[in-house]
Amino acid sequence: SQTIHQWPATLVQPVGSPLSLECTVEGTSNPNLYWYRQAAGRGLQLLFYSVGIGQISSEVPQNLSASRPQDWQFILSSKKLLLSDSGFYLCAWSSTPRVGDEAFFGQGTRLTVV
Amino acid sequence: KQEVTQIPAALSVPEGENLVLNCSFTDSAIYNLQWFRQDPGKGLTSLLLIQSSQREQTSGRLNASLDKSSGRSTLYIAASQPGDSATYLCAVRLQMDSSYKLIFGSGTRLLVRP
């Protein structure tokens, strides 16, 4: 069966420090991968999505970047965190090209920038 | 641009009551619609997936309907229980370039009182 792992679960980082959040998927090949951010009391905002190794699409201009070095690995990064980067970050995957498939989410990372 | 709206934003009901959560979307060219549940501080759990060609899906006490032409979906919860308390999110899947994005509503926060 397929599983998605996301870590760390919580993170407190000072302003200006770098960030690296990792997401891995097991049990499927060539998944679509997604990074979402959920600010307090708000909906999910799509940040990045990837259809394959090295293929990253950005949805909104921001202080973050994403990379996909392996088919099963999706990394969210920042060189210098801002206070506004605080939030709940969720990784998700879905099968491709079968568009009817469900999307599955990791358990999220709570990031607090202080 | 696709926009997804969920009404109400919050709902409080006594245990045992039947309830309906609403989701509307502005562009009917969707591939599917998915309902999720999110417990506080947790990731998203998929509840029901409705393909664009389907009218409804059922799972236990949950029933989701889809009217693609009018841009509406409802999630019906029968005989609500305190354990149903959570935030419920709907999301539509769109084709964008070579990938498929999920666009989320801002959610309905449900409280079922014992």
Side-chain angles (χ1 to χ4, degrees):
Chain A
S1 63
Q2 302 90 355
T3 56
I4 180 169
H5 302 281
Q6 195 179 336
W7 69 91
T10 60
L11 191 60
V12 179
Q13 292 282 95
V15 169
S17 64
L19 173 73
S20 180
L21 302 181
E22 187 162 349
C23 173
T24 60
V25 180
E26 298 176 356
T28 186
S29 60
N30 197 29
N32 279 357
L33 296 174
Y34 308 86
W35 276 111
Y36 286 86
R37 176 169 61 198
Q38 187 176 36
R42 300 177 65 179
L44 275 75
Q45 179 187 33
L46 179 62
L47 302 176
F48 300 96
Y49 65 94
S50 170
V51 300
I53 296 174
Q55 301 177 64
I56 308 294
S57 297
S58 175
E59 282 298 291
V60 293
Q62 57 205 327
N63 186 42
L64 302 169
S65 62
S67 61
R68 186 169 177 178
Q70 307 284 347
D71 183 47
W72 43 266
Q73 186 182 31
F74 203 25
I75 299 172
L76 183 69
S77 304
S78 175
K79 293 182 179 179
K80 291 184 178 182
L81 283 169
L82 306 173
L83 287 174
S84 58
D85 292 325
S86 293
F88 192 50
Y89 289 82
L90 288 157
C91 178
W93 76 273
S94 65
S95 294
T96 185
R98 293 168 56 197
V99 304
D101 284 352
E102 293 179 75
F104 298 94
F105 281 76
Q107 287 302 300
T109 296
R110 173 77 56 194
L111 172 66
T112 304
V113 182
V114 296
Chain B
K1 178 183 176 183
Q2 176 74 267
E3 293 185 359
V4 181
T5 304
Q6 289 187 247
I7 296 174
L11 184 62
S12 178
V13 300
E15 183 177 4
E17 192 164 298
N18 301 326
L19 58 100
V20 176
L21 307 181
N22 297 292
C23 174
S24 61
F25 45 96
T26 55
D27 187 344
S28 62
I30 65 171
Y31 280 85
N32 61 37
L33 184 145
Q34 197 168 349
W35 281 93
F36 293 88
R37 168 186 173 137
Q38 185 178 30
D39 293 291
K42 302 294 185 181
L44 276 66
T45 300
S46 178
L47 297 175
L48 289 165
L49 172 70
I50 309 178
Q51 305 295 348
S52 60
S53 59
Q54 296 177 320
R55 298 283 294 182
E56 65 178 327
Q57 282 287 328
T58 299
S59 176
R61 293 182 294 108
L62 304 180
N63 176 276
S65 68
L66 175 63
D67 185 341
K68 187 179 171 184
S69 60
S70 67
R72 295 179 182 178
S73 176
T74 62
L75 179 66
Y76 175 82
I77 302 177
S80 58
Q81 303 171 357
D84 295 330
S85 298
T87 296
Y88 290 81
L89 296 157
C90 71
V92 297
R93 176 171 281 189
L94 310 173
Q95 181 177 6
M96 294 294 294
D97 300 324
S98 58
S99 184
Y100 304 92
K101 301 195 305 183
L102 277 179
I103 306 298
F104 281 84
S106 55
T108 293
R109 192 169 61 255
L110 173 65
L111 173 65
V112 180
R113 307 186 303 272

